[in-house]
Amino acid sequence: MSVTVFGEHADKTVHRVALCSSAGLEATVIGYGASLQDLKVPMAQSLRRVTLGFDHLDTYTAHAGYFGAVVGRFGNRIADGRVIIDGKAHQLDLNILGRHHLHGGAQGFGKKVWTLVDHSDTHCTFELISPDGEMGYPGRLAARVTYSVTGLSLIIRMQAQSDVSSIINLVAHPYFNLAGNGDIGRHRLQINATRALLVDADLIPTGAFFEVAGTAQDFRVAREIDAVPSWHDHCYVVDSAQTSAPAAQLRSPSGDMMMSIIGTRPGLQFYDGAHIAVSSLGHDGQAYRARSGLCLESQFFPDAPNHPAFDQAFYGAGEAFDETVEHHFTVNER
C-alpha cells in the first residue's frame, strides 16, 4: 500500500492510494471523484489492466466522462431536474441537454475532491460533505466510499446520510475492458434480467417496462455484445436484487477472464461507452474512443423519485444509505 499526492484541485490535495490483495489484484483510487483510477488482474505471466483511466489529474478534470468516479447525490437522470420531497418541490441543476439532471449535476460528487480518512494495504476510505442546497439538493449530506481488495475481488461500499429528508443514489461508474484494449463489442455479456425500463428520446423513463426477450437488449443468456447490433444505454430490472447471485457476468473476447457483479439495487445500467471521446491519452498511451470500455452500474432506477411505482431512493433525516457492489474476477488462461 502507498499513499501519494496525485495533484491539487480547487485548493485541495488529491490523494492516490495503491491497494494490493494477497492474490495480487492491484487497484488504485484517487480522491477526485473517489475514482477507481486503475485495476489490474493477475494473469499467469503478467498483470492485465481492465479499467479505463488516466495518469494525470488534469485529464480527469478536463473531461466529463466520469471515468471510475462515484457519482451522486443521485446517479443517472432526473427528468426536468425536478423532485418533490416531503411535499416540497426542489429544482436540481440542469446539466444534460439543458433540461434534465444527470449524475448529481455539473458539480456532482464525481467532480469533487474527497478526503482520505482511512487506509491500509487492502482498503481505503474517502469522505465528502455536501452542503445544504448544493446542486439544488436539500440538506447537508455526509458520504463515504470504501474500496477494498480481497483475493481476486474488488468491493466498493458507498454510504451516506442527510440531516433532512432527501434522495440518495450513489453509483460507481468504472469503465471495463477485460481484454485490456480494443472495442468491447466481442465481450460476452449476461445480464440476469427479463425486463428493462422503457425510455424516451432523452433516455428518461416513461414509467413502463418492456420484456427483453427477442429484442436487442436480451442478454438473459451470455452472448457477444455485437451479436445483435444496437446501441446500449439501458437500465435493467435485476432478477437477483437482494440476493447474492450476480446481476451480470462479463467475459473477455478470448474467454480467459470473467467478471461477476453483485449489487443490491433493483437496477443495472448497461452503457456501451458509445460516446467516449477523449483527446488526451489514457493508460498505456491508449486513445479512448467510442466503446473502448463499458459500464455496468448497480443503482436505483433513473428518475425514480418521479415514478411512485419504482423502488424509491428517498431517505429520511439520519437514515443510512448503504450499498455494496462486488466485482469478482476469475481467470482461465489456456
Side-chain angles (χ1 to χ4, degrees):
M1 183 276 300
S2 66
V3 178
T4 56
V5 173
F6 192 63
E8 302 285 333
H9 179 70
D11 297 322
K12 295 180 179 178
T13 299
V14 177
H15 288 101
R16 176 182 182 272
V17 185
L19 309 175
C20 186
S21 75
S22 58
L25 183 78
E26 296 184 4
T28 57
V29 184
I30 58 172
Y32 183 76
S35 302
L36 179 65
Q37 183 211 12
D38 202 358
L39 183 64
K40 296 177 181 177
V41 178
M43 308 295 285
Q45 303 298 325
S46 62
L47 289 168
R48 180 182 297 172
R49 176 173 281 128
V50 296
T51 55
L52 308 189
F54 305 99
D55 298 327
H56 304 287
L57 178 59
D58 289 349
T59 311
Y60 282 94
T61 60
H63 298 288
Y66 306 99
F67 285 87
V70 171
V71 298
R73 296 185 187 187
F74 191 96
N76 218 315
R77 292 163 172 79
I78 295 181
D80 304 316
R82 285 180 57 82
V83 61
I84 296 175
I85 303 173
D86 288 346
K88 182 179 179 180
H90 297 270
Q91 181 61 58
L92 308 180
D93 183 52
L94 302 179
N95 65 315
I96 183 73
L97 302 175
R99 55 183 178 270
H100 303 301
H101 183 76
L102 175 69
H103 292 337
Q107 292 301 315
F109 290 3
K111 308 298 181 184
K112 297 291 187 180
V113 177
W114 296 57
T115 301
L116 178 63
V117 295
D118 187 30
H119 57 84
S120 72
D121 290 346
T122 57
H123 89 281
C124 62
T125 300
F126 286 86
E127 184 177 75
L128 180 69
I129 303 298
S130 177
D132 178 35
E134 186 170 53
M135 296 291 100
Y137 289 93
R140 176 185 183 273
L141 183 139
R144 280 196 168 204
V145 175
T146 299
Y147 288 85
S148 58
V149 292
T150 178
L152 293 181
S153 298
L154 170 74
I155 300 170
I156 307 173
R157 184 181 184 186
M158 297 165 284
Q159 301 168 279
Q161 284 182 311
S162 174
D163 62 358
V164 302
S165 295
S166 192
I167 55 172
I168 310 173
N169 186 29
L170 303 188
V171 177
H173 200 287
Y175 284 91
F176 291 100
N177 187 320
L178 301 191
N181 56 63
D183 186 284
I184 52 82
R186 293 191 57 242
H187 280 62
R188 294 180 61 83
L189 175 63
Q190 180 175 358
I191 300 176
N192 295 318
T194 58
R195 297 186 300 159
L197 275 65
L198 192 66
V199 296
D200 64 17
D202 290 349
L203 301 184
I204 300 294
T206 65
F209 302 89
F210 69 92
E211 298 290 329
V212 300
T215 74
Q217 283 70 52
D218 188 355
F219 289 95
R220 292 172 301 158
V221 176
R223 67 168 174 87
E224 287 191 2
I225 292 169
D226 276 355
V228 181
S230 180
W231 62 276
H232 298 285
D233 198 356
H234 294 82
C235 189
Y236 289 78
V237 182
V238 179
D239 293 340
S240 60
Q242 303 299 328
T243 76
S244 59
Q249 293 178 310
L250 182 69
R251 292 172 175 82
S252 63
S254 69
D256 63 355
M257 184 184 297
M258 182 178 75
M259 177 181 71
S260 298
I261 294 180
I262 299 173
T264 61
R265 297 304 175 210
L268 183 80
Q269 188 82 17
F270 167 36
Y271 170 50
D272 63 5
H275 299 294
I276 295 175
V278 182
S279 57
S280 302
L281 298 180
H283 291 317
D284 299 324
Q286 290 189 54
Y288 294 151
R289 299 291 182 258
R291 307 203 328 163
S292 291
L294 61 85
C295 298
L296 294 165
E297 309 159 42
S298 178
Q299 60 187 254
F300 284 109
F301 296 153
D303 203 33
N306 294 314
H307 297 277
F310 288 0
D311 285 16
Q312 287 302 317
F314 290 105
Y315 288 82
E319 187 178 357
F321 171 96
D322 197 339
E323 161 71 343
T324 297
V325 183
E326 304 174 14
H327 305 80
H328 301 290
F329 294 88
T330 57
V331 174
N332 182 28
E333 291 188 281
R334 299 170 182 174

